[in-house]
Amino acid sequence: MARYRSYMICTSPRSGSTLLCRLLAATGLAGKPGSHFHAPSVQRWLQSFDRPTEGYESDLDAVRAAFD
């Protein structure tokens, strides 16, 4: 069975995604998922995950760093 360090939930606003994140966190098994829609700033994503905000060769590299 594959083991993953992370996962992504993609939803639209007002679809229950915040409730889903809270329910997953409450299990104690699924980490602490957060909602990041309404904040499409890669710089803020990097900051929230304590990643460097500069020095990436491309925007794609910065996004990959946020997801890593």
Side-chain angles (χ1 to χ4, degrees):
M1 182 162 109
R3 291 185 179 230
Y4 298 95
R5 292 182 14 202
S6 60
Y7 57 93
M8 183 182 307
I9 302 166
C10 299
T11 66
S12 59
R14 308 295 309 155
S15 65
S17 58
T18 300
L19 175 62
L20 176 60
C21 288
R22 289 179 182 163
L23 291 170
L24 288 168
T27 68
L29 302 172
K32 296 168 81 176
S35 296
H36 296 284
F37 71 91
H38 296 298
S41 169
V42 174
Q43 295 299 315
R44 280 195 265 175
W45 289 349
L46 291 166
Q47 289 170 349
S48 70
F49 296 117
D50 296 323
R51 305 293 295 179
T53 57
E54 297 178 2
Y56 301 101
E57 291 186 26
S58 68
D59 290 340
L60 182 57
D61 288 338
V63 171
R64 284 182 177 141
F67 282 96
D68 284 345

